[in-house]
Amino acid sequence: MHELPVTQSVLSIAVDAAQQNGGGRVLAINLVIGEMTSIIDDSVQFYFDILSKDTLAEGATLNFRREAATATCLDCQQQTPVKPPLVPVCPGCGSSRLVVAGGKEFYVESIEVDDENHSGS
Ligand SMILES: [Zn+2]
């Protein structure tokens, strides 16, 4: 259930950005989530819909981009993008000496704010 604090921070980043852009509504939030995190898109969206009520970010669209992890083979140096469930051996040489890195990202890549501020006119 760690999507809740994560979603709270995403919301606060989005609302801050909206206020800095003249108080327009947040239209969309583009998020990057590593494949190795256990964060579930639907859970983030679920919490976001609840938390964003009566804020500048209410009704914003969440876009998720999944970032793959990279497995590097210690024997042949081949690098392979991986995601769970992880491959146990190198697809190049069959070695099991793999080091997995990355895929743990979670951040707000960009926020789209309606800077026209023409609502209600
Ligand atoms: Zn290999």
Side-chain angles (χ1 to χ4, degrees), residues 73 76 90 93:
C73 175
C76 73
C90 171
C93 71

Side-chain angles (χ1 to χ4, degrees), residues 42-75:
D42 287 350
S43 297
V44 176
Q45 183 76 63
F46 174 79
Y47 287 124
F48 188 85
D49 288 345
I50 296 169
L51 295 171
S52 65
K53 279 234 178 327
D54 300 321
T55 73
L56 287 171
E58 184 174 1
T61 304
L62 298 186
N63 299 313
F64 299 92
R65 184 160 67 78
R66 288 280 172 176
E67 194 83 349
T70 302
T72 303
C73 175
L74 294 179
D75 287 325

